[in-house]
Amino acid sequence: ESELQAGPAQLLAAGGPASTPSGAAGLAGLLAASSQPEERQRCGLDGKSIVLLVVTEGPPAVAAASNARNPDIQPSRLPAPEY
């Protein structure tokens, strides 16, 4: 639950798109898995992993304003966790 609520703020802090907790659910799962050594190993996550993260929604007003200012979609990189 805490990862789900933290997802949108983490995305914004890394320069990613505005989102809602449900839109950033994939990030929440990644944060949960990467915070537990057993899950990291089970998922094959390490410091060299590259993960494609799909954000499925954003707050309508914020997303519209953001897209108007930045019509070019830029990839965002979240910092790799330290293991």
Side-chain angles (χ1 to χ4, degrees):
E1 183 66 27
S2 64
E3 289 88 356
L4 187 61
Q5 295 304 317
Q10 294 251 348
L11 281 173
L12 283 176
S19 186
T20 62
S22 62
L27 176 59
L30 178 61
L31 292 172
S34 66
S35 69
Q36 302 169 8
E38 311 83 39
E39 286 299 309
R40 278 198 311 267
Q41 184 176 13
R42 188 178 72 77
C43 295
L45 295 171
D46 63 24
K48 295 180 183 177
S49 296
I50 297 174
V51 178
L52 174 64
L53 181 66
V54 178
V55 177
T56 58
E57 64 187 49
V62 174
S66 176
N67 289 340
R69 287 191 309 270
N70 276 321
D72 297 322
I73 297 173
Q74 299 293 321
S76 297
R77 285 194 172 267
L78 291 173
E82 304 258 341
Y83 299 113

Short mmCIF file of all heavy atoms in Angstrom, two decimals:
data_model
loop_
_atom_site.label_atom_id
_atom_site.label_comp_id
_atom_site.label_asym_id
_atom_site.label_seq_id
_atom_site.Cartn_x
_atom_site.Cartn_y
_atom_site.Cartn_z
N GLU A 1 0.82 -1.20 0.00
CA GLU A 1 0.00 0.00 0.00
C GLU A 1 0.86 1.26 0.00
O GLU A 1 0.57 2.21 -0.71
CB GLU A 1 -0.93 -0.03 1.21
CG GLU A 1 -1.88 1.15 1.28
CD GLU A 1 -2.92 1.21 0.16
OE1 GLU A 1 -3.29 0.15 -0.39
OE2 GLU A 1 -3.35 2.31 -0.16
N SER A 2 1.92 1.28 0.80
CA SER A 2 2.74 2.49 0.85
C SER A 2 3.43 2.73 -0.49
O SER A 2 3.58 3.88 -0.92
CB SER A 2 3.76 2.42 1.98
OG SER A 2 4.68 1.37 1.76
N GLU A 3 3.85 1.65 -1.18
CA GLU A 3 4.47 1.80 -2.49
C GLU A 3 3.46 2.35 -3.49
O GLU A 3 3.79 3.17 -4.35
CB GLU A 3 5.02 0.47 -3.01
CG GLU A 3 6.24 -0.01 -2.28
CD GLU A 3 5.92 -0.86 -1.06
OE1 GLU A 3 4.72 -1.03 -0.72
OE2 GLU A 3 6.87 -1.34 -0.42
N LEU A 4 2.21 1.91 -3.39
CA LEU A 4 1.16 2.38 -4.29
C LEU A 4 0.94 3.88 -4.13
O LEU A 4 0.85 4.61 -5.12
CB LEU A 4 -0.15 1.62 -4.01
CG LEU A 4 -1.30 1.88 -4.97
CD1 LEU A 4 -0.93 1.47 -6.39
CD2 LEU A 4 -2.53 1.13 -4.52
N GLN A 5 0.93 4.37 -2.90
CA GLN A 5 0.74 5.79 -2.65
C GLN A 5 1.98 6.61 -3.04
O GLN A 5 1.87 7.76 -3.44
CB GLN A 5 0.38 6.04 -1.18
CG GLN A 5 -0.96 5.43 -0.78
CD GLN A 5 -2.12 5.91 -1.65
OE1 GLN A 5 -2.22 7.09 -1.97
NE2 GLN A 5 -2.97 4.99 -2.04
N ALA A 6 3.17 6.01 -2.93
CA ALA A 6 4.41 6.72 -3.23
C ALA A 6 4.69 6.80 -4.73
O ALA A 6 5.46 7.66 -5.16
CB ALA A 6 5.58 6.03 -2.53
N GLY A 7 4.08 5.93 -5.51
CA GLY A 7 4.37 5.86 -6.94
C GLY A 7 4.29 7.17 -7.69
O GLY A 7 5.25 7.56 -8.38
N PRO A 8 3.18 7.92 -7.61
CA PRO A 8 3.09 9.17 -8.36
C PRO A 8 4.16 10.19 -8.00
O PRO A 8 4.74 10.83 -8.88
CB PRO A 8 1.68 9.69 -8.01
CG PRO A 8 0.90 8.46 -7.69
CD PRO A 8 1.90 7.56 -6.99
N ALA A 9 4.48 10.33 -6.72
CA ALA A 9 5.51 11.28 -6.30
C ALA A 9 6.88 10.85 -6.81
O ALA A 9 7.68 11.69 -7.24
CB ALA A 9 5.52 11.42 -4.78
N GLN A 10 7.15 9.55 -6.79
CA GLN A 10 8.43 9.04 -7.30
C GLN A 10 8.56 9.33 -8.80
O GLN A 10 9.63 9.70 -9.27
CB GLN A 10 8.53 7.53 -7.05
CG GLN A 10 8.61 7.18 -5.59
CD GLN A 10 9.98 6.69 -5.20
OE1 GLN A 10 10.81 6.41 -6.03
NE2 GLN A 10 10.21 6.60 -3.91
N LEU A 11 7.48 9.14 -9.54
CA LEU A 11 7.50 9.43 -10.98
C LEU A 11 7.81 10.90 -11.23
O LEU A 11 8.67 11.23 -12.05
CB LEU A 11 6.15 9.08 -11.62
CG LEU A 11 5.90 7.63 -11.92
CD1 LEU A 11 4.47 7.43 -12.38
CD2 LEU A 11 6.87 7.11 -12.97
N LEU A 12 7.10 11.78 -10.54
CA LEU A 12 7.33 13.22 -10.73
C LEU A 12 8.75 13.62 -10.34
O LEU A 12 9.39 14.40 -11.04
CB LEU A 12 6.32 14.03 -9.93
CG LEU A 12 4.91 14.11 -10.52
CD1 LEU A 12 3.99 14.87 -9.57
CD2 LEU A 12 4.92 14.75 -11.89
N ALA A 13 9.25 13.07 -9.25
CA ALA A 13 10.59 13.42 -8.79
C ALA A 13 11.66 13.01 -9.80
O ALA A 13 12.71 13.64 -9.90
CB ALA A 13 10.87 12.76 -7.44
N ALA A 14 11.39 11.95 -10.58
CA ALA A 14 12.34 11.47 -11.58
C ALA A 14 12.11 12.12 -12.94
O ALA A 14 12.74 11.74 -13.91
CB ALA A 14 12.23 9.96 -11.70
N GLY A 15 11.19 13.10 -13.00
CA GLY A 15 10.93 13.77 -14.26
C GLY A 15 9.89 13.06 -15.11
O GLY A 15 9.74 13.36 -16.30
N GLY A 16 9.18 12.12 -14.52
CA GLY A 16 8.16 11.37 -15.25
C GLY A 16 6.83 12.08 -15.28
O GLY A 16 6.70 13.21 -14.78
N PRO A 17 5.84 11.44 -15.86
CA PRO A 17 4.52 12.06 -16.01
C PRO A 17 3.72 12.08 -14.71
O PRO A 17 3.95 11.27 -13.82
CB PRO A 17 3.83 11.16 -17.03
CG PRO A 17 4.44 9.82 -16.81
CD PRO A 17 5.88 10.10 -16.44
N ALA A 18 2.79 13.01 -14.65
CA ALA A 18 1.83 13.03 -13.53
C ALA A 18 0.97 11.79 -13.64
O ALA A 18 0.63 11.34 -14.74
CB ALA A 18 0.97 14.29 -13.60
N SER A 19 0.64 11.20 -12.51
CA SER A 19 -0.18 10.00 -12.51
C SER A 19 -0.96 9.90 -11.22
O SER A 19 -0.79 10.72 -10.32
CB SER A 19 0.71 8.75 -12.68
OG SER A 19 -0.09 7.60 -12.81
N THR A 20 -1.79 8.90 -11.16
CA THR A 20 -2.55 8.57 -9.96
C THR A 20 -1.94 7.30 -9.38
O THR A 20 -1.16 6.62 -10.06
CB THR A 20 -4.03 8.31 -10.30
OG1 THR A 20 -4.08 7.18 -11.18
CG2 THR A 20 -4.67 9.52 -10.96
N PRO A 21 -2.28 6.93 -8.15
CA PRO A 21 -1.75 5.67 -7.62
C PRO A 21 -2.09 4.46 -8.50
O PRO A 21 -1.23 3.61 -8.71
CB PRO A 21 -2.40 5.57 -6.24
CG PRO A 21 -2.57 7.00 -5.82
CD PRO A 21 -2.97 7.71 -7.10
N SER A 22 -3.30 4.41 -9.05
CA SER A 22 -3.62 3.25 -9.89
C SER A 22 -2.87 3.31 -11.22
O SER A 22 -2.50 2.28 -11.77
CB SER A 22 -5.13 3.15 -10.12
OG SER A 22 -5.61 4.28 -10.82
N GLY A 23 -2.60 4.51 -11.73
CA GLY A 23 -1.83 4.63 -12.96
C GLY A 23 -0.38 4.25 -12.78
O GLY A 23 0.29 3.83 -13.72
N ALA A 24 0.12 4.41 -11.57
CA ALA A 24 1.51 4.08 -11.26
C ALA A 24 1.61 2.74 -10.54
O ALA A 24 2.61 2.46 -9.87
CB ALA A 24 2.13 5.19 -10.42
N ALA A 25 0.61 1.88 -10.69
CA ALA A 25 0.61 0.58 -10.00
C ALA A 25 1.79 -0.28 -10.40
O ALA A 25 2.34 -1.02 -9.58
CB ALA A 25 -0.70 -0.16 -10.26
N GLY A 26 2.22 -0.20 -11.65
CA GLY A 26 3.39 -0.96 -12.08
C GLY A 26 4.64 -0.55 -11.32
O GLY A 26 5.46 -1.39 -10.93
N LEU A 27 4.78 0.76 -11.09
CA LEU A 27 5.91 1.24 -10.30
C LEU A 27 5.79 0.76 -8.86
O LEU A 27 6.79 0.38 -8.25
CB LEU A 27 5.99 2.77 -10.33
CG LEU A 27 7.08 3.40 -9.46
CD1 LEU A 27 8.46 2.89 -9.85
CD2 LEU A 27 7.02 4.91 -9.55
N ALA A 28 4.58 0.74 -8.33
CA ALA A 28 4.37 0.25 -6.96
C ALA A 28 4.83 -1.19 -6.84
O ALA A 28 5.50 -1.57 -5.88
CB ALA A 28 2.91 0.38 -6.55
N GLY A 29 4.50 -2.01 -7.83
CA GLY A 29 4.94 -3.40 -7.81
C GLY A 29 6.45 -3.52 -7.90
O GLY A 29 7.07 -4.33 -7.21
N LEU A 30 7.05 -2.68 -8.74
CA LEU A 30 8.51 -2.69 -8.87
C LEU A 30 9.17 -2.26 -7.56
O LEU A 30 10.15 -2.87 -7.11
CB LEU A 30 8.94 -1.78 -10.01
CG LEU A 30 10.44 -1.64 -10.24
CD1 LEU A 30 11.07 -2.99 -10.58
CD2 LEU A 30 10.71 -0.62 -11.33
N LEU A 31 8.65 -1.20 -6.93
CA LEU A 31 9.19 -0.75 -5.65
C LEU A 31 9.07 -1.83 -4.58
O LEU A 31 10.00 -2.06 -3.80
CB LEU A 31 8.50 0.53 -5.19
CG LEU A 31 8.76 1.79 -6.02
CD1 LEU A 31 7.87 2.92 -5.55
CD2 LEU A 31 10.23 2.18 -5.96
N ALA A 32 7.92 -2.50 -4.54
CA ALA A 32 7.71 -3.55 -3.55
C ALA A 32 8.67 -4.71 -3.79
O ALA A 32 9.31 -5.21 -2.85
CB ALA A 32 6.26 -4.03 -3.59
N ALA A 33 8.80 -5.14 -5.04
CA ALA A 33 9.69 -6.26 -5.35
C ALA A 33 11.14 -5.91 -5.10
O ALA A 33 11.91 -6.72 -4.57
CB ALA A 33 9.50 -6.70 -6.80
N SER A 34 11.53 -4.69 -5.46
CA SER A 34 12.95 -4.32 -5.32
C SER A 34 13.35 -4.06 -3.87
O SER A 34 14.54 -4.03 -3.55
CB SER A 34 13.28 -3.12 -6.20
OG SER A 34 12.60 -1.97 -5.76
N SER A 35 12.37 -3.89 -2.99
CA SER A 35 12.70 -3.63 -1.59
C SER A 35 12.90 -4.90 -0.78
O SER A 35 13.30 -4.83 0.38
CB SER A 35 11.62 -2.77 -0.94
OG SER A 35 10.42 -3.51 -0.80
N GLN A 36 12.65 -6.05 -1.40
CA GLN A 36 12.77 -7.33 -0.69
C GLN A 36 13.77 -8.22 -1.42
O GLN A 36 13.55 -8.57 -2.59
CB GLN A 36 11.42 -8.03 -0.62
CG GLN A 36 10.35 -7.19 0.06
CD GLN A 36 8.97 -7.79 -0.12
OE1 GLN A 36 8.80 -8.88 -0.61
NE2 GLN A 36 7.97 -7.03 0.30
N PRO A 37 14.87 -8.60 -0.76
CA PRO A 37 15.91 -9.40 -1.43
C PRO A 37 15.38 -10.66 -2.11
O PRO A 37 15.80 -10.97 -3.23
CB PRO A 37 16.88 -9.75 -0.30
CG PRO A 37 16.68 -8.68 0.72
CD PRO A 37 15.23 -8.31 0.63
N GLU A 38 14.45 -11.38 -1.47
CA GLU A 38 13.93 -12.61 -2.07
C GLU A 38 13.18 -12.32 -3.36
O GLU A 38 13.29 -13.05 -4.34
CB GLU A 38 12.99 -13.34 -1.10
CG GLU A 38 13.49 -13.53 0.30
CD GLU A 38 13.27 -12.30 1.19
OE1 GLU A 38 12.23 -11.62 1.10
OE2 GLU A 38 14.18 -12.02 1.99
N GLU A 39 12.39 -11.25 -3.35
CA GLU A 39 11.62 -10.87 -4.54
C GLU A 39 12.53 -10.36 -5.65
O GLU A 39 12.31 -10.64 -6.82
CB GLU A 39 10.56 -9.82 -4.20
CG GLU A 39 9.39 -10.37 -3.45
CD GLU A 39 8.65 -11.45 -4.23
OE1 GLU A 39 8.29 -11.23 -5.40
OE2 GLU A 39 8.44 -12.53 -3.66
N ARG A 40 13.57 -9.58 -5.27
CA ARG A 40 14.54 -9.12 -6.29
C ARG A 40 15.15 -10.31 -7.00
O ARG A 40 15.25 -10.34 -8.22
CB ARG A 40 15.64 -8.29 -5.63
CG ARG A 40 15.28 -6.86 -5.38
CD ARG A 40 16.51 -6.01 -5.14
NE ARG A 40 17.44 -6.54 -4.18
CZ ARG A 40 17.45 -6.25 -2.89
NH1 ARG A 40 16.55 -5.42 -2.39
NH2 ARG A 40 18.34 -6.77 -2.09
N GLN A 41 15.57 -11.31 -6.22
CA GLN A 41 16.19 -12.49 -6.82
C GLN A 41 15.19 -13.25 -7.67
O GLN A 41 15.51 -13.66 -8.79
CB GLN A 41 16.76 -13.40 -5.73
CG GLN A 41 17.50 -14.59 -6.30
CD GLN A 41 18.13 -15.44 -5.20
OE1 GLN A 41 17.83 -15.28 -4.02
NE2 GLN A 41 19.00 -16.34 -5.60
N ARG A 42 13.98 -13.43 -7.18
CA ARG A 42 12.95 -14.17 -7.92
C ARG A 42 12.64 -13.49 -9.24
O ARG A 42 12.43 -14.15 -10.26
CB ARG A 42 11.67 -14.29 -7.08
CG ARG A 42 10.61 -15.20 -7.69
CD ARG A 42 9.39 -15.31 -6.80
NE ARG A 42 8.59 -14.11 -6.79
CZ ARG A 42 7.76 -13.73 -7.76
NH1 ARG A 42 7.61 -14.45 -8.83
NH2 ARG A 42 7.05 -12.62 -7.65
N CYS A 43 12.65 -12.15 -9.25
CA CYS A 43 12.34 -11.39 -10.46
C CYS A 43 13.59 -11.14 -11.33
O CYS A 43 13.47 -10.59 -12.43
CB CYS A 43 11.72 -10.05 -10.09
SG CYS A 43 10.12 -10.18 -9.30
N GLY A 44 14.76 -11.51 -10.82
CA GLY A 44 15.98 -11.29 -11.57
C GLY A 44 16.40 -9.84 -11.63
O GLY A 44 17.02 -9.40 -12.60
N LEU A 45 16.07 -9.08 -10.59
CA LEU A 45 16.41 -7.65 -10.55
C LEU A 45 17.75 -7.45 -9.87
O LEU A 45 17.99 -7.97 -8.78
CB LEU A 45 15.35 -6.86 -9.79
CG LEU A 45 13.96 -6.81 -10.41
CD1 LEU A 45 12.97 -6.18 -9.44
CD2 LEU A 45 14.00 -6.06 -11.73
N ASP A 46 18.62 -6.69 -10.50
CA ASP A 46 19.87 -6.29 -9.88
C ASP A 46 20.24 -4.90 -10.38
O ASP A 46 19.45 -4.26 -11.08
CB ASP A 46 20.98 -7.32 -10.13
CG ASP A 46 21.33 -7.46 -11.61
OD1 ASP A 46 21.08 -6.53 -12.40
OD2 ASP A 46 21.88 -8.52 -11.97
N GLY A 47 21.41 -4.43 -10.02
CA GLY A 47 21.83 -3.09 -10.38
C GLY A 47 21.97 -2.85 -11.87
O GLY A 47 22.06 -1.71 -12.32
N LYS A 48 21.99 -3.92 -12.67
CA LYS A 48 22.11 -3.79 -14.12
C LYS A 48 20.78 -3.99 -14.84
O LYS A 48 20.73 -3.93 -16.07
CB LYS A 48 23.13 -4.81 -14.64
CG LYS A 48 24.53 -4.55 -14.13
CD LYS A 48 25.49 -5.58 -14.67
CE LYS A 48 26.88 -5.33 -14.08
NZ LYS A 48 27.84 -6.32 -14.51
N SER A 49 19.72 -4.23 -14.10
CA SER A 49 18.42 -4.47 -14.71
C SER A 49 17.89 -3.22 -15.40
O SER A 49 18.07 -2.10 -14.92
CB SER A 49 17.40 -4.91 -13.65
OG SER A 49 17.76 -6.14 -13.10
N ILE A 50 17.23 -3.43 -16.51
CA ILE A 50 16.51 -2.38 -17.22
C ILE A 50 15.04 -2.79 -17.22
O ILE A 50 14.71 -3.91 -17.63
CB ILE A 50 17.03 -2.20 -18.65
CG1 ILE A 50 18.49 -1.76 -18.62
CG2 ILE A 50 16.16 -1.20 -19.41
CD1 ILE A 50 19.15 -1.70 -19.97
N VAL A 51 14.19 -1.91 -16.75
CA VAL A 51 12.77 -2.22 -16.61
C VAL A 51 11.95 -1.25 -17.43
O VAL A 51 12.17 -0.03 -17.36
CB VAL A 51 12.35 -2.14 -15.12
CG1 VAL A 51 10.86 -2.40 -14.96
CG2 VAL A 51 13.16 -3.09 -14.28
N LEU A 52 11.03 -1.76 -18.23
CA LEU A 52 10.08 -0.91 -18.96
C LEU A 52 8.87 -0.71 -18.06
O LEU A 52 8.23 -1.67 -17.64
CB LEU A 52 9.66 -1.57 -20.27
CG LEU A 52 8.56 -0.85 -21.04
CD1 LEU A 52 9.04 0.53 -21.49
CD2 LEU A 52 8.12 -1.68 -22.22
N LEU A 53 8.59 0.54 -17.75
CA LEU A 53 7.48 0.87 -16.86
C LEU A 53 6.41 1.58 -17.67
O LEU A 53 6.70 2.57 -18.35
CB LEU A 53 7.98 1.76 -15.72
CG LEU A 53 6.96 2.18 -14.70
CD1 LEU A 53 6.47 0.97 -13.91
CD2 LEU A 53 7.55 3.20 -13.77
N VAL A 54 5.19 1.10 -17.60
CA VAL A 54 4.08 1.71 -18.33
C VAL A 54 3.18 2.42 -17.32
O VAL A 54 2.68 1.80 -16.39
CB VAL A 54 3.27 0.65 -19.11
CG1 VAL A 54 2.09 1.27 -19.81
CG2 VAL A 54 4.18 -0.08 -20.10
N VAL A 55 3.00 3.72 -17.51
CA VAL A 55 2.09 4.51 -16.68
C VAL A 55 0.80 4.64 -17.47
O VAL A 55 0.80 5.15 -18.59
CB VAL A 55 2.69 5.90 -16.36
CG1 VAL A 55 1.73 6.74 -15.56
CG2 VAL A 55 4.00 5.74 -15.63
N THR A 56 -0.29 4.16 -16.90
CA THR A 56 -1.52 4.02 -17.67
C THR A 56 -2.50 5.17 -17.57
O THR A 56 -3.45 5.21 -18.32
CB THR A 56 -2.25 2.73 -17.26
OG1 THR A 56 -2.54 2.79 -15.85
CG2 THR A 56 -1.41 1.51 -17.55
N GLU A 57 -2.29 6.07 -16.65
CA GLU A 57 -3.23 7.19 -16.53
C GLU A 57 -2.60 8.33 -15.76
O GLU A 57 -1.59 8.16 -15.10
CB GLU A 57 -4.52 6.77 -15.84
CG GLU A 57 -4.31 6.34 -14.40
CD GLU A 57 -5.56 5.76 -13.77
OE1 GLU A 57 -6.20 4.89 -14.33
OE2 GLU A 57 -5.86 6.23 -12.66
N GLY A 58 -3.20 9.47 -15.89
CA GLY A 58 -2.77 10.64 -15.14
C GLY A 58 -3.97 11.48 -14.80
O GLY A 58 -5.03 11.34 -15.42
N PRO A 59 -3.85 12.35 -13.82
CA PRO A 59 -4.97 13.25 -13.52
C PRO A 59 -5.29 14.07 -14.77
O PRO A 59 -4.39 14.67 -15.36
CB PRO A 59 -4.43 14.13 -12.40
CG PRO A 59 -3.29 13.36 -11.81
CD PRO A 59 -2.72 12.56 -12.94
N PRO A 60 -6.54 14.09 -15.23
CA PRO A 60 -6.87 14.74 -16.51
C PRO A 60 -6.39 16.18 -16.63
O PRO A 60 -5.77 16.53 -17.63
CB PRO A 60 -8.40 14.66 -16.56
CG PRO A 60 -8.74 13.50 -15.69
CD PRO A 60 -7.69 13.48 -14.61
N ALA A 61 -6.62 17.02 -15.65
CA ALA A 61 -6.22 18.43 -15.76
C ALA A 61 -4.71 18.58 -15.78
O ALA A 61 -4.16 19.34 -16.57
CB ALA A 61 -6.82 19.24 -14.63
N VAL A 62 -4.03 17.84 -14.93
CA VAL A 62 -2.57 17.92 -14.86
C VAL A 62 -1.96 17.35 -16.13
O VAL A 62 -1.04 17.91 -16.70
CB VAL A 62 -2.04 17.18 -13.61
CG1 VAL A 62 -0.53 17.13 -13.62
CG2 VAL A 62 -2.55 17.86 -12.35
N ALA A 63 -2.48 16.22 -16.59
CA ALA A 63 -1.94 15.60 -17.80
C ALA A 63 -2.13 16.51 -19.01
O ALA A 63 -1.22 16.66 -19.82
CB ALA A 63 -2.60 14.25 -18.03
N ALA A 64 -3.28 17.13 -19.14
CA ALA A 64 -3.53 18.02 -20.28
C ALA A 64 -2.59 19.22 -20.25
O ALA A 64 -2.01 19.59 -21.27
CB ALA A 64 -4.98 18.48 -20.27
N ALA A 65 -2.40 19.81 -19.08
CA ALA A 65 -1.50 20.96 -18.96
C ALA A 65 -0.06 20.55 -19.24
O ALA A 65 0.68 21.25 -19.92
CB ALA A 65 -1.62 21.58 -17.57
N SER A 66 0.34 19.38 -18.74
CA SER A 66 1.70 18.90 -18.95
C SER A 66 1.95 18.62 -20.42
O SER A 66 2.99 18.98 -20.97
CB SER A 66 1.93 17.63 -18.12
OG SER A 66 3.20 17.10 -18.38
N ASN A 67 1.00 18.00 -21.10
CA ASN A 67 1.16 17.70 -22.51
C ASN A 67 1.19 18.96 -23.35
O ASN A 67 1.87 19.02 -24.37
CB ASN A 67 0.05 16.76 -22.99
CG ASN A 67 0.22 15.36 -22.44
OD1 ASN A 67 1.31 14.99 -22.02
ND2 ASN A 67 -0.85 14.61 -22.41
N ALA A 68 0.46 19.98 -22.95
CA ALA A 68 0.46 21.25 -23.69
C ALA A 68 1.83 21.92 -23.59
O ALA A 68 2.30 22.52 -24.55
CB ALA A 68 -0.63 22.17 -23.15
N ARG A 69 2.47 21.82 -22.43
CA ARG A 69 3.79 22.42 -22.24
C ARG A 69 4.90 21.58 -22.86
O ARG A 69 5.90 22.11 -23.31
CB ARG A 69 4.09 22.60 -20.75
CG ARG A 69 3.30 23.71 -20.08
CD ARG A 69 3.83 24.00 -18.68
NE ARG A 69 3.95 22.82 -17.85
CZ ARG A 69 3.01 22.33 -17.06
NH1 ARG A 69 1.85 22.93 -16.99
NH2 ARG A 69 3.21 21.27 -16.32
N ASN A 70 4.75 20.27 -22.84
CA ASN A 70 5.77 19.33 -23.32
C ASN A 70 5.18 18.35 -24.32
O ASN A 70 4.88 17.22 -23.97
CB ASN A 70 6.36 18.53 -22.15
CG ASN A 70 7.44 19.25 -21.42
OD1 ASN A 70 8.24 19.92 -22.05
ND2 ASN A 70 7.48 19.10 -20.13
N PRO A 71 5.00 18.74 -25.56
CA PRO A 71 4.38 17.83 -26.52
C PRO A 71 5.27 16.63 -26.85
O PRO A 71 4.78 15.60 -27.27
CB PRO A 71 4.13 18.69 -27.74
CG PRO A 71 5.08 19.83 -27.61
CD PRO A 71 5.31 20.03 -26.14
N ASP A 72 6.58 16.75 -26.68
CA ASP A 72 7.47 15.63 -26.95
C ASP A 72 7.57 14.75 -25.73
O ASP A 72 7.87 15.21 -24.63
CB ASP A 72 8.88 16.13 -27.31
CG ASP A 72 8.88 16.96 -28.58
OD1 ASP A 72 8.12 16.61 -29.50
OD2 ASP A 72 9.62 17.95 -28.64
N ILE A 73 7.33 13.47 -25.91
CA ILE A 73 7.43 12.53 -24.80
C ILE A 73 8.90 12.19 -24.60
O ILE A 73 9.60 11.82 -25.52
CB ILE A 73 6.63 11.25 -25.10
CG1 ILE A 73 5.14 11.61 -25.24
CG2 ILE A 73 6.86 10.20 -24.03
CD1 ILE A 73 4.30 10.45 -25.69
N GLN A 74 9.35 12.35 -23.38
CA GLN A 74 10.74 12.07 -23.04
C GLN A 74 10.78 10.88 -22.07
O GLN A 74 10.02 10.85 -21.12
CB GLN A 74 11.39 13.29 -22.37
CG GLN A 74 11.44 14.51 -23.24
CD GLN A 74 12.36 14.32 -24.43
OE1 GLN A 74 13.41 13.72 -24.31
NE2 GLN A 74 11.96 14.82 -25.57
N PRO A 75 11.67 9.92 -22.31
CA PRO A 75 11.77 8.82 -21.35
C PRO A 75 12.34 9.31 -20.04
O PRO A 75 13.13 10.24 -20.01
CB PRO A 75 12.74 7.84 -22.03
CG PRO A 75 13.49 8.66 -23.01
CD PRO A 75 12.59 9.80 -23.41
N SER A 76 11.90 8.70 -18.96
CA SER A 76 12.38 9.06 -17.62
C SER A 76 13.16 7.89 -17.06
O SER A 76 12.84 6.74 -17.31
CB SER A 76 11.21 9.36 -16.69
OG SER A 76 10.51 10.47 -17.17
N ARG A 77 14.16 8.19 -16.29
CA ARG A 77 14.95 7.15 -15.64
C ARG A 77 14.87 7.36 -14.14
O ARG A 77 15.22 8.40 -13.64
CB ARG A 77 16.41 7.22 -16.06
CG ARG A 77 16.66 6.71 -17.44
CD ARG A 77 18.17 6.52 -17.60
NE ARG A 77 18.45 5.85 -18.82
CZ ARG A 77 18.61 4.54 -18.94
NH1 ARG A 77 18.48 3.77 -17.88
NH2 ARG A 77 18.88 3.99 -20.09
N LEU A 78 14.38 6.33 -13.46
CA LEU A 78 14.42 6.34 -12.01
C LEU A 78 15.79 5.84 -11.59
O LEU A 78 16.36 4.96 -12.23
CB LEU A 78 13.33 5.41 -11.43
CG LEU A 78 11.90 5.88 -11.64
CD1 LEU A 78 10.94 4.80 -11.18
CD2 LEU A 78 11.64 7.16 -10.89
N PRO A 79 16.36 6.40 -10.56
CA PRO A 79 17.67 5.92 -10.12
C PRO A 79 17.59 4.46 -9.69
O PRO A 79 16.61 4.04 -9.09
CB PRO A 79 18.03 6.84 -8.96
CG PRO A 79 16.77 7.50 -8.56
CD PRO A 79 15.83 7.47 -9.72
N ALA A 80 18.62 3.70 -10.04
CA ALA A 80 18.68 2.30 -9.65
C ALA A 80 18.86 2.20 -8.14
O ALA A 80 19.65 2.96 -7.57
CB ALA A 80 19.83 1.60 -10.36
N PRO A 81 18.12 1.30 -7.50
CA PRO A 81 18.30 1.16 -6.05
C PRO A 81 19.68 0.57 -5.74
O PRO A 81 20.25 -0.16 -6.54
CB PRO A 81 17.19 0.19 -5.63
CG PRO A 81 16.75 -0.47 -6.87
CD PRO A 81 17.11 0.41 -8.02
N GLU A 82 20.20 0.93 -4.61
CA GLU A 82 21.48 0.39 -4.15
C GLU A 82 21.21 -0.93 -3.45
O GLU A 82 20.36 -1.01 -2.57
CB GLU A 82 22.14 1.37 -3.18
CG GLU A 82 22.31 2.74 -3.74
CD GLU A 82 23.72 3.01 -4.19
OE1 GLU A 82 24.62 2.29 -3.75
OE2 GLU A 82 23.91 3.94 -5.00
N TYR A 83 21.91 -1.98 -3.83
CA TYR A 83 21.72 -3.30 -3.20
C TYR A 83 22.88 -3.61 -2.30
O TYR A 83 23.99 -3.37 -2.53
CB TYR A 83 21.56 -4.40 -4.23
CG TYR A 83 20.36 -4.21 -5.12
CD1 TYR A 83 20.50 -3.94 -6.46
CD2 TYR A 83 19.10 -4.26 -4.57
CE1 TYR A 83 19.40 -3.76 -7.26
CE2 TYR A 83 17.99 -4.08 -5.37
CZ TYR A 83 18.15 -3.83 -6.73
OH TYR A 83 17.05 -3.67 -7.50
#
